[in-house]
Amino acid sequence: GFTHKLFGMAVDLGTTSVVGSLFNMNTGEEINTSSRLNPQCSYGLDIMSRIDYASRDGGIQKLNRLILDCLDELVIDNCSAAGIKADDIQEIVIAGNTVMLHLLAGINPAAMGRFPYTPVFTSAMQISAAGLGMKAPCKADVYLMPSASAFIGSDIVGGILATGLHQEQENSFLLDLGTNGEMVLFSKNQLYACSVAVGPALEGMNIECGMRSEAGAIDKVWTEGESLCFHTIGEEPARGLCGSGLIEAAGVMWNKGLLAANGKILTNPRSYSSSIWAEFITEKEKNIRFCLIPCRGPKNAIFISQHDIRQLQLAKAAICAGIKLLMDAAKIEAQDVYRVNLAGALGNYVNYDLMIELGFFPSEWRGKIRPAGNSALLGATMVLMSTTALKQADEISKRLICLDLASTLE
């Protein structure tokens, strides 16, 4: 009988996180998923700082080796959990932004760091794992999914494929709000796309008490009467705030009168909904903070600083600018949008009504937003499983109309 099982892996290669899922290719069953912080984060939290580092002497080799080792670790993690050998993996499909794919392929992305932002390649690439420089899965073929431009990568092509955005009938958005905010609007049979620099705040990075969406991260914050309540991922003791926790904590601050309209943390209790909130506002070395959990013994306090609020405001400004750019290009208004697919960890955890209340999204979108999960990983999985999906990914990458925020700012 046919006993040898074929295995494959789908990977979402993000600027901040790298996720890999192992599949039985005969049955389509997902066997295990493993994730890691992208080790390149030590050399810059966003794409531009990675491009900058890659342009230095030995920089590209360093970043390339880091990401290859990270992929090897994901393979080993998944294989040990499944009780198989790395050699049993036949195929690996990778979706990621264009810069990450260049760094993975060992190709200098310097030209994407300056106008006119030209990638060396955007088409799909197939190469052996050994040829790419991976050490664990010696027999696998690696397939890098096609990108559309320097800033619209194969993670977005995968997201469009996974959400079926390219086959919609009505005006619909796909928003993937990671460190780079990629956005796609389907309207009148066209796919308009842009990328904005959201920054890593929504992924819990560059935030004083920030962390990724993992066990111990505060992901929900609310009030009951005048009491502050929060929830952590995995019900573990609180270790920090992830993106959704940061947004919800800011929402509490706004609703209780602790934030001015310009984002300044207010220290005068007269503006608060109750004098009880005064005890949550602390000052350390001239830094005003909203303290969710005070410092107790060896445990550090968990708080939101003025810097964190500013990071959130920068993210919001970028998101609003991108949404406006796409709607203007399609000549539609916010009320003309039928559906909004929100991808990534944020889509799973965040309170959409609060995002609208804080001005991230137009109020006309109430009730129209739905989570799209890790749409890049879902797209990579579809390509792993089906040659039809592989063809569709190629067609989508060629259909996208990529708009540049910098050259269209009024």
Side-chain angles (χ1 to χ4, degrees):
F2 182 71
T3 53
H4 183 67
K5 283 185 181 156
L6 291 175
F7 294 93
M9 225 169 103
V11 176
D12 168 27
L13 178 53
T15 312
T16 304
S17 302
V18 187
V19 187
S21 292
L22 179 71
F23 290 87
N24 178 329
M25 301 280 284
N26 297 328
T27 62
E29 175 200 1
E30 183 179 328
I31 298 161
N32 195 63
T33 295
S34 182
S35 74
R36 283 257 195 288
L37 183 69
N38 187 328
Q40 296 173 346
C41 281
S42 317
Y43 300 90
L45 290 177
D46 58 51
I47 286 218
M48 283 306 179
S49 44
R50 303 271 171 95
I51 292 175
D52 179 49
Y53 187 82
S55 308
R56 296 181 201 176
D57 194 28
I60 180 74
Q61 291 81 0
K62 174 90 180 167
L63 295 180
N64 174 250
R65 194 63 254 161
L66 281 172
I67 198 60
L68 286 167
D69 290 347
C70 177
L71 287 179
D72 278 334
E73 287 167 16
L74 287 181
V75 167
I76 292 161
D77 282 356
N78 278 329
C79 289
S80 22
I84 64 166
K85 297 196 295 292
D87 282 1
D88 293 334
I89 293 179
Q90 304 282 319
E91 247 182 278
I92 300 173
V93 174
I94 300 177
N97 66 56
T98 315
V99 174
M100 288 301 112
L101 295 182
H102 278 61
L103 295 175
L104 173 64
I107 294 171
N108 195 330
M112 287 189 275
R114 55 179 183 264
F115 189 81
Y117 313 111
T118 315
V120 176
F121 72 98
T122 53
S123 51
M125 186 189 286
Q126 191 167 353
I127 185 169
S128 71
L132 191 61
M134 289 179 73
K135 294 170 182 166
C138 356
K139 295 178 181 168
D141 276 326
V142 179
Y143 179 81
L144 307 187
M145 283 176 61
S147 301
S149 73
F151 299 114
I152 301 297
S154 61
D155 47 355
I156 288 304
V157 171
I160 293 168
L161 189 62
T163 53
L165 193 77
H166 58 305
Q167 295 164 334
E168 275 285 3
Q169 304 297 313
E170 310 274 352
N171 298 320
S172 298
F173 266 96
L174 167 64
L175 303 178
D176 193 342
L177 305 179
T179 309
N180 316 305
E182 287 114 351
M183 309 180 175
V184 187
L185 169 62
F186 173 89
S187 181
K188 307 175 193 76
N189 214 28
Q190 300 279 16
L191 286 165
Y192 300 93
C194 76
S195 172
V196 294
V198 171
L202 300 186
E203 298 199 45
M205 305 292 280
N206 202 17
I207 295 298
E208 302 215 30
C209 297
M211 62 182 286
R212 289 195 305 154
S213 298
E214 57 190 22
I218 296 176
D219 63 340
K220 293 198 184 317
V221 182
W222 70 97
T223 55
E224 288 175 6
E226 297 297 329
S227 300
L228 186 70
C229 310
F230 60 84
H231 172 268
T232 62
I233 296 175
E235 323 284 329
E236 298 273 324
R239 293 192 296 127
L241 286 152
C242 65
S244 61
L246 175 67
I247 290 167
E248 297 204 354
V252 165
M253 293 170 76
W254 171 249
N255 286 321
K256 296 296 177 186
L258 279 63
L259 277 184
N262 65 1
K264 188 173 188 289
I265 300 176
L266 298 169
T267 51
N268 186 343
R270 280 203 304 250
S271 66
Y272 304 168
S273 64
S274 156
S275 58
I276 201 158
W277 293 104
E279 66 192 59
F280 288 86
I281 301 292
T282 61
E283 190 172 342
K284 190 174 183 186
E285 292 148 22
K286 296 197 175 163
N287 286 329
I288 310 289
R289 300 164 163 186
F290 172 66
C291 215
L292 283 92
I293 300 175
C295 188
R296 288 211 179 94
K299 286 203 169 158
N300 289 332
I302 295 177
F303 60 86
I304 289 183
S305 68
Q306 189 65 68
H307 162 270
D308 299 341
I309 296 291
R310 292 289 176 241
Q311 295 304 305
L312 210 48
Q313 286 177 298
L314 291 171
K316 172 182 157 178
I319 291 165
C320 292
I323 290 170
K324 182 179 185 322
L325 174 70
L326 295 185
M327 291 198 302
D328 286 353
K331 298 186 169 59
I332 65 166
E333 303 287 334
Q335 68 264 22
D336 302 327
V337 174
Y338 167 72
R339 177 178 288 139
V340 179
N341 300 284
L342 190 56
L346 203 65
N348 289 335
Y349 296 116
V350 82
N351 175 332
Y352 307 142
D353 286 344
L354 180 63
M355 293 283 281
I356 289 170
E357 194 182 332
L358 293 176
F360 283 81
F361 303 142
S363 57
E364 292 88 345
W365 287 9
R366 213 175 285 278
K368 295 177 178 180
I369 306 171
R370 67 173 189 187
N374 185 335
S375 60
L377 188 64
L378 288 168
T381 303
M382 288 167 75
V383 169
L384 178 69
M385 297 297 176
S386 134
T387 46
T388 315
L390 188 139
K391 276 202 206 80
Q392 284 182 319
D394 218 43
E395 286 160 15
I396 290 167
S397 70
K398 293 183 174 74
R399 257 182 83 184
L400 279 159
I401 300 162
C402 301
L403 305 173
D404 175 20
L405 198 60
S407 60
T408 48
L409 281 178
E410 288 165 18

